[in-house]
Amino acid sequence: MNLDFSPQELAFRNEVRAFLAEQLTPEFAFAGRNCAGIYCELPIARDWFRVLAAKGWSVPHWPIEYGGTGWTPAQHLIFKQEMARADAPPLSPNSTHMVAPVIIAFGTDEQKAHYLPRIRSGEDWWAQGYSEPNSGSDLASLTLKAERDGDCYVLNGSKIWTTHAHFSNRMFCLVRTDRSGKPQQGISFLLFDLDLPGIEVSPIISISGDHELNQVFFNNVRVPVAGLIGQENDGWTVAKYLLRHERSSMWSPLLRARLERIKAQSAGCDPALQLRIARADMRLSALEVSELRMLFEEMDETRSSLMSSISKVSGTELRQEITELGVSLAGRDAIRMPDRPEQTGRGVAVATYLNDRAASIYAGANEVQRDIIAKIMLR
Amino acid sequence: MNLDFSPQELAFRNEVRAFLAEQLTPEFAFAGRNCAGIYCELPIARDWFRVLAAKGWSVPHWPIEYGGTGWTPAQHLIFKQEMARADAPPLSPNSTHMVAPVIIAFGTDEQKAHYLPRIRSGEDWWAQGYSEPNSGSDLASLTLKAERDGDCYVLNGSKIWTTHAHFSNRMFCLVRTDRSGKPQQGISFLLFDLDLPGIEVSPIISISGDHELNQVFFNNVRVPVAGLIGQENDGWTVAKYLLRHERSSMWSPLLRARLERIKAQSAGCDPALQLRIARADMRLSALEVSELRMLFEEMDETRSSLMSSISKVSGTELRQEITELGVSLAGRDAIRMPDRPEQTGRGVAVATYLNDRAASIYAGANEVQRDIIAKIMLR
Amino acid sequence: MDFTFTEEQQMLRASLRRFLADRYPFDQRLAASRSANGLPSGVWAALANELGLLSVGLPEDHGGLGGGAVDHMIIMEELGRVVALEPYLETIVIGAELLSRCGGTTAQGVLAGVVSGEILLASAFAEAGTELDLSHIATRAERKGEGWRLSGRKTLVTGAPWASQLLIAARTSGASGDASGISLFLVDPALPGITLDCCATIDGRRAADIAFDDVHLAAEALLGEEGKALPLLDEVTDRAIAALCAEAVGAMGHLLEATVAYTSDRKQFGRDLASFQVVRHRMADMLIEIELATSAVYMSTVRLDGPAQVRKLAASAAKAVVCAAARFVGQSAVQLHGAMGMTDELDIGHYFKRLMVISAAFGDADAHCARYLSLSVDKG
Amino acid sequence: MDFTFTEEQQMLRASLRRFLADRYPFDQRLAASRSANGLPSGVWAALANELGLLSVGLPEDHGGLGGGAVDHMIIMEELGRVVALEPYLETIVIGAELLSRCGGTTAQGVLAGVVSGEILLASAFAEAGTELDLSHIATRAERKGEGWRLSGRKTLVTGAPWASQLLIAARTSGASGDASGISLFLVDPALPGITLDCCATIDGRRAADIAFDDVHLAAEALLGEEGKALPLLDEVTDRAIAALCAEAVGAMGHLLEATVAYTSDRKQFGRDLASFQVVRHRMADMLIEIELATSAVYMSTVRLDGPAQVRKLAASAAKAVVCAAARFVGQSAVQLHGAMGMTDELDIGHYFKRLMVISAAFGDADAHCARYLSLSVDKG
């Protein structure tokens, strides 16, 4: 048992730091630091992604044959920590961490050849089509209709809470191709372009005033069958695979960066607030080790599911606690209407707090995560 | 809207204070202050009760014809506040507040004439027979069997968590006289003496080491039918009446006395602990007003049920918070095994904390109370 | 000991609630908050003239009906239920109360305009970090001939962009921290040397950062006695706190009702959301918090006319209890609405943000906890 | 970066768990805790000789196997699972570690007896209120001829009634608050002038208030260098904290398992208790707290051999996180067991009380929060 990096790992850390010192311009860091949403917006996000791509670091976790780096877990950890610490713009995982692993696991050679290089280079930007107006945490109840007609599926219905759809040119989507069986059956996993006729992307403004989310309407949209991933009606298997893959996400590096920024501003503040900051700090240091354990401990499928839900709950709730500290620290100044903080820096504390209320709702509401934890524990 | 007492009320308060100054001896106050359980033990509790009885204040809330005082709500409030403030021994409500109102409402003239004077004088001391080993918060599932045989019921089974049964000479009891209908049907409300043949009172030691609770075993116990209250199989109606009557209980006077004692000892203590004390103090001051509102606001049955459950939850949880402050304040000294604090004063903080863990369990677990609140709110 | 409302108070609540239900639909409120001016047109005038609301709480010898703090509480709670934009707090609870307490011809004249709905007011006592200790404000006014010269800055003065008169606290003598030497001035925001930097606040209302650069004030601008304003400002701060807490109770009441309605309607996993026990218990806890908050508001309201120590303790307890409730109720309402609660379209987020603003006003929960602690120690 | 246990460590855990499952049933533990002596007979000897456990974590040059902090962590966690009474913390983690670090002939001799299971130790550094600042202890030892005279009081010295040797910290020079001038002594509790006032603690263990009235100590009683003990005592305090936190994780693990089992079995309103969503979520939260506590323990354990600042921060974080977890897990276990959880008969309450003792030892959560804060500020 050992929490220190090896000399090789420290050397790698120096390499990452040197890269960041050179390539992460003040503009990138400003946007990263003042990103009040989940991810930075385009064009800054894409510009930064292309810097990473040029270095060969845009998709480090992919298999080497598709452009991954073959890093050890410790290297991935170092990369994440250093990126967060340097205020690199947070990037959406849709393309690199969600659809790409699915294409690698289930895609045909044509699909791989077509999509993967464009993801790796930053040319393509993907949106996720999962939630529907009447189907949130209960994903299996989705109804977006896809009827086969020749070499196309005809899509009717809508997807909602589609983050950054207005920046994306492609979408991966769960659609209903059969409604005769159980809800989990009859779902298919489909890829298509967002500029197809009949698709309308309609903004949803969040309580922070930001436009991150969208509703996407489908009106007789003809999607080529070539976009089908895996078998028709077998999309649930694909979705579950993706869910497992998502589990590598770590909350603590970003939280550490945020909390250190708060600590740096907290000298002389209200003693009760200082105690709250210290408590969050101590809890974060425990979460950091928990996330290291997820990365380094061997676990079976059950334990891995359990830890994933535990990490979602504790990571998001600590995230909310920390952004709330930011609001307390800002005092009355936090009541100013935030004004596009990613570009102006104004109101980032309050906008972040407001946006982060969603952290316990998205990606499987924390109530659902607790249901999962209990179910595993009680079986 | 006015939170002040009238001149008449202030005069009454002086009368109560004068009475306490004269009659509440240091021994009584010592026992009251160091009572780590819910109520003081006999003989001290009975001795104090008899002092109250001599003054005519042992059953102030009863109708005047049976020996009540006819006080206004404000007078009842003042009496409770002053008793708590002076560290008067907390008394069990079993006799005066539970079985007596039931006898007054449902009893025959004979039952009233037999039981009420003995309660008022402190001659009789009653135990409550509600919970059973497999029937806690779900009271309607009780199974203690009472079979009619001539002019007796024959009781078999057991009651559990019977507070102070070892100090009591009588018991009121919910028994099952019919098992054919719904669980709430077929229950009867029965009074009897605890020295009947076949009754065995077996102590249950609690985690504080105290003996407050008992299990009471019934082995072919012959209870005279004369002890039946109301109609056979109609005990659920009686039990519900009692539950409504119980609602007049106030948590805040005792909590105020405890918290003021903690505040008096807290000078110079850890700043985090001081903040916790201040928060509890502020919350208690809100609870005090809530309990005044329950006493003085007109409410219908629904609102009264709702407020009763709200008061149970917030009162008990604040009680637990305050006793926990006592443990924090005691520091490492709280690890000493408490040694009959009511008699010795030793370990009262820790014993109170341990016993008070039950506050969120007894009298309808707080989970059940929240179910009730939600049910009322959602209908 | 009396917890009943008078018949007049019950009628006041009923008529205001009816008026707001008719005339204050949320979509119009939202549109108004985004308009240039930021207020729905006609509502304030209707409150003044149709309902005669603005005089209800004011002293009788100043054209009011003498209702006092309980009436303010009722009105603020009802305004909170519809997350109203109108500056009742700024103009009436703070502004008119200050004017009527200071008295004098100037004040009388302005009060008449306030009651008739023609004059809106805004006030600035505190500066950053001095919310609960006004003896440390840095704005100064110096005698200059017959009048005064005012210099300093006040940030985030809520309602200032709407106000035709400002009530400004400044030090006229003594050093920072002295209890005496603070004075109150009535200031026309159009005077030379005054700059208003207006902004919207997260609750859709308006505020301004105000700079006073050597502003010439006439002698009559001084309200009340020179250098003696601090106790009055302290008292009015507690009145503002009690009123804001009442508003918060109204807002929380709406959030709980909306959450009960939404979860009863919304399906998840084939069942009503409201059938899930954790959802039910969370709503039960919301109600518990609101009940305690309501009691805390009663207490602070009734204590406003009592001794300063008792009044301050009650105000701080109310603010701390209400902030804790507002945090829990607001966060729970958003959480139980799921992603819908995160949208600008629903009213939930707007109530949530109004509660944030209330929590940050006149000292946050931590600040009031500290004040309560230090006052308790003084007392003990 | 390595989160695996060595094969030896895995075997250590497995064999100790097996031993305790066989030889440490709860009813015998309870009976022993109520016996005059307070310890189950034979267990300590078996740990020493059958399992060779007592030498596992000690340095190799002192007869140990060199396992160190991670081995102590494993052992304490397993002892925590059975809420063991044995003074492994007092004798090994604190006592033997101190002796082996001080070195010297006296220490070597005692260590041999410790490893063989013949000698139990107890230590007293802190006095009331000095848990985390030992420079303020009031016990003093003064040179007298070749030896020392010791005077002072130590309260609630856990394990003292069992110990044949005591390790006592006293000031030998300087003034209260000075970093230097604290020394450590090995003291035979049978010496004239020593009074042990023994008591039971709520966890069923034993402690004593000890008075030293002009006790004559031989020169060899001094362990290590005169006046230089403070850094060592600070370090061993953090070792004790990490070990106690590991014990707490073991105890919490048992509480959660027992609660899952009980709620799966117990019926309420015709259903398993464990089918109620609020019960399920509360158990999920218990698990979350235990996972975070486990991580905090790993961190503090691994940091024990690092620089003092890093070590202290990690120990304080662990103590605060573990205390919070212990509070929530303990209270939840009692609550979910209902009235049964309140009885002396079930093991639940005994684990609950052990967790209270652990939480109060070597500084409570508030104290460690304050220490963490002050250390962070120093660092920043």
Side-chain angles (χ1 to χ4, degrees):
Chain A
M1 182 143 315
N2 175 2
L3 283 170
D4 297 322
F5 291 121
S6 69
Q8 296 88 326
E9 289 159 353
L10 290 173
F12 174 73
R13 188 169 75 179
N14 286 338
E15 187 190 347
V16 176
R17 286 184 179 175
F19 163 75
L20 289 167
E22 197 186 324
Q23 301 282 347
L24 187 83
T25 62
E27 291 72 29
F28 283 134
F30 182 90
R33 191 163 55 244
N34 292 296
C35 170
I38 326 183
Y39 322 118
C40 270
E41 299 190 344
L42 265 51
I44 198 108
R46 192 197 301 262
D47 290 346
W48 172 239
F49 188 88
R50 284 180 166 154
V51 171
L52 292 173
K55 174 76 177 173
W57 286 355
S58 61
V59 289
H61 58 293
W62 287 10
I64 294 176
E65 55 191 300
Y66 300 112
T69 53
W71 286 342
T72 63
Q75 287 178 298
H76 283 290
L77 168 70
I78 289 166
F79 185 65
K80 285 173 187 167
Q81 286 177 337
E82 296 303 320
M83 295 273 278
R85 179 146 67 170
D87 295 329
L91 297 173
S92 164
N94 284 357
S95 308
T96 52
H97 289 70
M98 301 184 87
V99 74
V102 159
I103 294 170
I104 290 168
F106 297 91
T108 61
D109 288 346
E110 290 72 24
Q111 288 170 328
K112 289 178 191 172
H114 182 64
Y115 292 122
L116 294 178
R118 290 174 172 83
I119 291 173
R120 184 171 175 247
S121 68
E123 183 183 341
D124 281 359
W125 216 253
W126 288 74
Q128 179 197 35
Y130 270 31
S131 292
E132 296 182 8
N134 290 305
S135 157
S137 287
D138 176 16
L139 195 58
S141 65
L142 65 89
T143 59
L144 179 75
K145 193 161 61 173
E147 286 173 307
R148 184 70 177 263
D149 180 27
D151 58 352
C152 280
Y153 290 103
V154 182
L155 269 56
N156 279 290
S158 94
K159 290 288 177 183
I160 198 166
W161 320 126
T162 321
T163 310
H164 286 191
H166 54 307
F167 294 129
S168 305
N169 60 323
R170 302 196 200 268
M171 178 179 244
F172 60 97
C173 199
L174 289 174
V175 298
R176 180 146 313 273
T177 37
D178 181 29
R179 51 188 74 212
S180 59
K182 286 202 299 183
Q184 286 82 354
Q185 295 164 349
I187 292 173
S188 298
F189 196 104
L190 213 53
L191 314 182
F192 50 84
D193 293 354
L194 269 171
D195 61 358
L196 291 177
I199 296 181
E200 190 199 337
V201 175
S202 170
I204 298 175
I205 306 302
S206 76
I207 58 175
S208 64
D210 291 323
H211 174 203
E212 275 196 294
L213 304 174
N214 302 276
Q215 186 163 2
V216 184
F217 294 94
F218 297 87
N219 183 16
N220 288 322
V221 177
R222 298 188 64 86
V223 170
V225 171
L228 182 70
I229 289 281
Q231 299 300 307
E232 188 178 287
N233 297 331
D234 201 24
W236 194 249
T237 310
V238 181
K240 277 201 313 198
Y241 174 86
L242 197 161
L243 206 67
R244 270 208 305 284
H245 219 87
E246 230 186 314
R247 277 181 195 149
S248 62
S249 70
M250 293 181 81
W251 300 90
S252 61
L254 179 67
L255 299 192
R256 175 53 67 197
R258 285 186 176 174
L259 187 64
E260 292 302 322
R261 198 142 52 226
I262 286 169
K263 281 162 72 180
Q265 298 162 16
S266 70
C269 79
D270 187 291
L273 179 55
Q274 292 196 5
L275 288 169
R276 287 164 57 202
I277 293 171
R279 281 194 201 100
D281 193 1
M282 295 188 289
R283 200 168 168 87
L284 176 56
S285 64
L287 179 69
E288 286 169 328
V289 177
S290 281
E291 293 196 338
L292 292 179
R293 289 167 59 206
M294 283 183 69
L295 209 59
F296 289 97
E297 275 179 8
E298 273 185 43
M299 2 187 132
D300 60 16
E301 180 61 23
T302 303
R303 171 102 186 133
S304 157
S305 292
L306 196 62
M307 289 303 288
S308 155
S309 288
I310 289 174
S311 167
K312 166 74 190 352
V313 172
S314 48
T316 53
E317 291 179 1
L318 191 53
R319 182 177 167 132
Q320 293 177 328
E321 198 177 318
I322 289 171
T323 53
E324 198 168 347
L325 294 173
V327 170
S328 293
L329 196 62
R332 261 194 93 224
D333 206 52
I335 74 170
R336 284 180 207 275
M337 187 83 87
D339 182 13
R340 302 185 68 74
E342 198 172 313
Q343 289 162 29
T344 64
R346 277 201 293 271
V348 61
V350 67
T352 308
Y353 171 72
L354 291 170
N355 282 321
D356 270 4
R357 300 316 314 157
S360 47
I361 297 168
Y362 58 56
N366 286 11
E367 288 86 353
V368 175
Q369 302 294 345
R370 288 188 166 90
D371 284 339
I372 293 170
I373 293 168
K375 194 172 172 186
I376 293 174
M377 200 167 35
L378 282 158
R379 86 177 154 211
Chain B
M1 181 146 310
N2 175 2
L3 282 172
D4 297 322
F5 290 122
S6 70
Q8 294 90 328
E9 288 159 354
L10 290 174
F12 175 73
R13 189 169 73 181
N14 286 339
E15 188 190 348
V16 176
R17 286 184 180 175
F19 163 75
L20 289 168
E22 198 185 325
Q23 301 282 345
L24 188 81
T25 62
E27 292 71 28
F28 284 135
F30 183 89
R33 193 164 53 245
N34 292 296
C35 170
I38 325 183
Y39 322 119
C40 268
E41 297 189 346
L42 266 49
I44 198 108
R46 193 198 299 263
D47 291 346
W48 173 239
F49 189 87
R50 284 179 167 155
V51 171
L52 292 173
K55 174 77 178 173
W57 286 356
S58 62
V59 288
H61 57 293
W62 288 11
I64 294 177
E65 54 190 301
Y66 300 113
T69 53
W71 286 343
T72 63
Q75 286 178 299
H76 283 289
L77 169 70
I78 288 167
F79 185 65
K80 284 174 187 167
Q81 285 177 338
E82 295 303 319
M83 294 272 278
R85 178 145 67 169
D87 294 330
L91 298 173
S92 163
N94 284 356
S95 309
T96 52
H97 289 70
M98 301 184 86
V99 74
V102 158
I103 292 171
I104 290 168
F106 295 93
T108 61
D109 288 344
E110 289 72 24
Q111 287 171 329
K112 288 178 193 173
H114 182 64
Y115 292 121
L116 294 178
R118 288 173 173 83
I119 291 174
R120 184 169 173 246
S121 69
E123 183 182 339
D124 281 359
W125 217 252
W126 288 74
Q128 179 196 37
Y130 271 31
S131 292
E132 296 182 9
N134 289 306
S135 157
S137 286
D138 177 15
L139 194 57
S141 66
L142 64 90
T143 59
L144 179 75
K145 194 162 58 173
E147 287 172 309
R148 184 69 178 264
D149 179 25
D151 58 355
C152 280
Y153 290 103
V154 181
L155 270 55
N156 279 290
S158 93
K159 290 288 175 183
I160 199 166
W161 320 125
T162 321
T163 310
H164 287 193
H166 55 307
F167 295 128
S168 305
N169 60 324
R170 302 196 198 267
M171 178 179 245
F172 61 97
C173 198
L174 289 174
V175 298
R176 179 149 311 276
T177 37
D178 181 29
R179 50 187 76 213
S180 59
K182 283 202 300 182
Q184 286 82 356
Q185 295 164 348
I187 291 174
S188 299
F189 195 103
L190 213 53
L191 314 182
F192 51 83
D193 293 353
L194 269 172
D195 60 358
L196 292 177
I199 295 181
E200 190 199 336
V201 175
S202 169
I204 299 175
I205 306 302
S206 75
I207 57 175
S208 63
D210 292 322
H211 173 201
E212 274 196 295
L213 304 173
N214 301 276
Q215 185 163 4
V216 183
F217 294 94
F218 298 86
N219 184 13
N220 288 322
V221 177
R222 297 187 66 84
V223 170
V225 171
L228 182 69
I229 289 280
Q231 301 298 308
E232 189 178 286
N233 296 332
D234 200 24
W236 193 249
T237 309
V238 182
K240 276 201 314 196
Y241 175 85
L242 197 162
L243 205 68
R244 269 207 307 283
H245 219 86
E246 229 186 315
R247 277 181 195 149
S248 63
S249 70
M250 293 181 81
W251 300 91
S252 60
L254 179 68
L255 299 192
R256 174 54 67 197
R258 285 185 177 176
L259 188 63
E260 292 302 322
R261 198 143 52 227
I262 286 169
K263 280 162 73 179
Q265 298 161 16
S266 70
C269 79
D270 187 293
L273 179 55
Q274 292 198 4
L275 288 170
R276 287 164 57 201
I277 293 171
R279 279 192 203 102
D281 193 1
M282 296 189 288
R283 200 169 168 87
L284 177 56
S285 64
L287 180 69
E288 286 170 328
V289 177
S290 282
E291 293 196 338
L292 293 179
R293 289 167 60 206
M294 283 183 70
L295 211 57
F296 290 96
E297 275 180 9
E298 275 185 42
M299 354 187 140
D300 60 18
E301 180 60 24
T302 304
R303 171 99 186 137
S304 158
S305 294
L306 195 62
M307 288 303 288
S308 156
S309 289
I310 289 174
S311 169
K312 165 75 187 359
V313 172
S314 47
T316 53
E317 292 178 1
L318 190 52
R319 182 177 168 129
Q320 293 176 329
E321 198 177 317
I322 288 171
T323 53
E324 196 169 347
L325 293 172
V327 170
S328 294
L329 195 61
R332 260 195 93 222
D333 206 53
I335 75 171
R336 283 180 207 277
M337 187 84 86
D339 182 12
R340 302 185 67 74
E342 199 171 313
Q343 289 162 30
T344 63
R346 277 202 292 272
V348 62
V350 68
T352 308
Y353 171 72
L354 291 170
N355 282 323
D356 270 5
R357 300 315 316 157
S360 47
I361 297 168
Y362 58 55
N366 287 10
E367 288 85 354
V368 175
Q369 303 294 347
R370 287 189 166 89
D371 283 340
I372 293 170
I373 294 168
K375 195 172 171 185
I376 294 174
M377 201 168 33
L378 282 158
R379 88 179 155 209
Chain C
M1 192 81 38
D2 174 16
F3 282 87
T4 55
F5 293 104
T6 64
E7 216 166 295
E8 288 77 14
Q9 288 166 343
Q10 295 177 41
M11 277 172 53
L12 167 65
R13 186 189 292 279
S15 64
L16 179 55
R17 188 175 291 193
R18 205 163 42 232
F19 173 86
L20 294 170
D22 283 355
R23 303 273 285 273
Y24 221 83
F26 180 73
D27 54 348
Q28 285 178 33
R29 183 265 183 209
L30 190 57
S33 80
R34 287 168 180 168
S35 68
N37 169 264
L39 283 177
S41 68
V43 171
W44 188 258
L47 290 175
N49 303 317
E50 288 177 41
L51 271 74
L53 193 82
L54 305 186
S55 60
V56 166
L58 298 180
E60 293 178 32
D61 50 356
H62 293 275
L65 301 179
V70 175
D71 290 46
H72 289 324
M73 178 184 89
I74 292 169
I75 292 167
M76 288 294 290
E77 188 183 331
E78 294 305 316
L79 293 172
R81 290 198 153 265
V82 298
V83 66
L85 299 159
E86 279 66 19
Y88 183 85
L89 177 84
E90 290 81 357
T91 303
I92 307 296
V93 178
I94 300 174
E97 290 284 349
L98 277 176
L99 290 171
S100 66
R101 273 172 172 70
C102 289
T105 330
T106 320
Q108 287 287 21
V110 177
L111 265 177
V114 164
V115 168
S116 68
E118 284 146 50
I119 294 180
L120 295 180
L121 301 173
S123 308
F125 323 150
E127 294 158 14
T130 69
E131 281 86 355
L132 297 177
D133 186 1
L134 299 171
S135 71
H136 285 100
I137 58 172
T139 296
R140 298 194 70 97
E142 283 168 24
R143 275 199 183 277
K144 171 80 180 182
E146 289 291 291
W148 304 84
R149 301 177 75 130
L150 178 70
S151 287
R153 294 172 183 274
K154 304 279 181 181
T155 52
L156 282 167
V157 181
T158 58
W162 297 321
S164 46
Q165 294 290 337
L166 303 173
L167 294 153
I168 303 297
R171 181 165 285 286
T172 47
S173 64
S176 180
D178 288 357
S180 72
I182 303 287
S183 304
L184 185 64
F185 296 93
L186 183 73
V187 179
D188 179 344
L191 286 176
I194 300 183
T195 321
L196 266 73
D197 187 2
C198 298
C199 66
T201 46
I202 54 173
D203 53 357
R205 300 175 90 237
R206 295 289 184 278
D209 297 329
I210 312 183
F212 303 96
D213 291 315
D214 202 26
V215 178
H216 291 236
L217 302 178
E220 309 85 67
L222 178 70
L223 294 172
E225 221 178 318
E226 181 186 338
K228 304 276 186 242
L230 193 60
L232 176 61
L233 296 176
D234 275 349
E235 185 201 320
V236 171
T237 296
D238 288 338
R239 291 187 182 274
I241 287 169
L244 273 173
C245 287
E247 185 190 347
V249 164
M252 289 191 279
H254 173 82
L255 282 177
L256 179 55
E257 279 172 25
T259 305
V260 166
Y262 180 81
T263 56
S264 299
D265 186 52
R266 170 85 178 172
K267 301 274 182 294
Q268 191 87 289
F269 300 102
R271 294 161 51 185
D272 288 351
L273 253 187
S275 72
F276 288 90
Q277 197 187 22
V278 292
V279 172
R280 299 171 77 84
H281 279 208
R282 189 143 179 185
M283 293 193 293
D285 283 329
M286 292 166 79
L287 182 61
I288 291 170
E289 290 299 308
I290 294 172
E291 284 296 335
L292 282 178
T294 304
S295 297
V297 168
Y298 283 11
M299 177 181 60
S300 64
T301 302
V302 172
R303 295 300 185 214
L304 284 175
D305 297 315
Q309 166 93 340
V310 174
R311 185 194 76 220
K312 286 183 187 182
L313 280 169
S316 283
K319 192 81 202 302
V321 167
V322 167
C323 283
R327 175 179 182 274
F328 179 76
V329 172
Q331 291 183 355
S332 297
V334 171
Q335 180 72 22
L336 296 181
H337 276 79
M340 283 305 298
M342 290 296 299
T343 63
D344 184 64
E345 186 193 337
L346 246 62
D347 61 10
I348 299 301
H350 298 272
Y351 282 82
F352 182 78
K353 288 183 282 189
R354 177 64 190 151
L355 288 173
M356 286 177 70
V357 171
I358 291 174
S359 296
F362 298 102
D364 68 5
D366 286 340
H368 279 282
C369 195
R371 185 172 87 156
Y372 189 91
L373 188 57
S374 78
L375 288 168
S376 312
V377 172
D378 289 357
K379 188 185 165 197
Chain D
M1 191 82 37
D2 174 15
F3 283 86
T4 56
F5 293 105
T6 65
E7 216 166 296
E8 288 78 14
Q9 288 166 341
Q10 294 176 43
M11 278 172 53
L12 168 65
R13 186 189 291 278
S15 64
L16 180 55
R17 188 175 292 195
R18 206 163 41 235
F19 173 86
L20 293 170
D22 285 354
R23 302 274 285 274
Y24 220 84
F26 179 73
D27 54 348
Q28 286 179 34
R29 182 262 182 212
L30 190 58
S33 79
R34 285 167 181 169
S35 67
N37 169 264
L39 283 178
S41 69
V43 171
W44 188 258
L47 291 175
N49 303 318
E50 288 179 40
L51 271 74
L53 193 81
L54 306 186
S55 61
V56 165
L58 299 180
E60 293 177 34
D61 49 357
H62 292 276
L65 300 180
V70 174
D71 289 45
H72 289 324
M73 178 183 89
I74 292 168
I75 292 168
M76 288 295 288
E77 188 183 331
E78 294 305 317
L79 293 172
R81 290 196 155 265
V82 298
V83 66
L85 299 159
E86 278 65 20
Y88 183 85
L89 178 83
E90 290 83 356
T91 303
I92 307 297
V93 178
I94 300 174
E97 288 284 349
L98 276 176
L99 290 171
S100 67
R101 273 172 172 70
C102 290
T105 329
T106 319
Q108 287 287 21
V110 177
L111 265 177
V114 164
V115 168
S116 68
E118 284 146 48
I119 293 179
L120 295 180
L121 301 173
S123 308
F125 322 150
E127 296 158 14
T130 68
E131 280 86 356
L132 297 177
D133 186 1
L134 299 171
S135 70
H136 285 101
I137 59 172
T139 296
R140 296 194 72 94
E142 283 169 26
R143 276 202 183 274
K144 170 83 178 180
E146 290 292 290
W148 303 83
R149 302 177 75 128
L150 178 70
S151 286
R153 293 169 184 274
K154 304 278 181 182
T155 53
L156 283 167
V157 181
T158 59
W162 298 321
S164 47
Q165 294 290 339
L166 304 173
L167 295 153
I168 304 296
R171 180 164 287 285
T172 47
S173 63
S176 178
D178 287 357
S180 73
I182 303 287
S183 303
L184 185 65
F185 296 94
L186 183 73
V187 178
D188 179 342
L191 285 177
I194 299 183
T195 321
L196 266 72
D197 186 1
C198 298
C199 65
T201 46
I202 53 173
D203 53 357
R205 300 174 91 239
R206 296 290 185 276
D209 297 327
I210 311 183
F212 303 96
D213 292 315
D214 202 26
V215 178
H216 292 237
L217 301 178
E220 310 85 70
L222 178 71
L223 293 172
E225 220 177 320
E226 180 186 338
K228 304 275 187 240
L230 193 60
L232 175 61
L233 296 176
D234 275 349
E235 185 201 322
V236 171
T237 296
D238 288 338
R239 291 188 181 273
I241 288 169
L244 274 173
C245 288
E247 184 189 348
V249 164
M252 290 190 279
H254 172 82
L255 282 177
L256 179 55
E257 278 170 26
T259 305
V260 165
Y262 180 81
T263 57
S264 301
D265 186 51
R266 171 85 178 171
K267 299 276 182 293
Q268 191 86 291
F269 300 102
R271 295 161 50 184
D272 288 351
L273 254 188
S275 71
F276 288 90
Q277 198 188 22
V278 292
V279 172
R280 299 170 78 85
H281 279 209
R282 190 144 178 183
M283 294 192 292
D285 283 329
M286 291 165 80
L287 181 62
I288 291 171
E289 290 299 308
I290 294 172
E291 283 296 336
L292 282 177
T294 304
S295 296
V297 169
Y298 283 10
M299 177 182 59
S300 65
T301 302
V302 172
R303 295 299 185 216
L304 284 175
D305 298 314
Q309 166 92 340
V310 173
R311 185 194 76 219
K312 288 183 184 183
L313 280 168
S316 283
K319 192 81 201 305
V321 167
V322 167
C323 283
R327 175 179 183 275
F328 179 76
V329 172
Q331 293 183 353
S332 298
V334 171
Q335 180 71 21
L336 295 181
H337 276 79
M340 284 304 297
M342 289 297 299
T343 64
D344 184 63
E345 186 193 338
L346 245 63
D347 60 10
I348 299 301
H350 298 272
Y351 282 82
F352 181 77
K353 289 183 281 189
R354 179 63 190 151
L355 287 174
M356 285 177 70
V357 171
I358 291 174
S359 295
F362 299 101
D364 67 4
D366 286 341
H368 279 282
C369 195
R371 184 172 89 156
Y372 190 90
L373 189 57
S374 79
L375 288 168
S376 310
V377 173
D378 290 358
K379 187 185 162 197

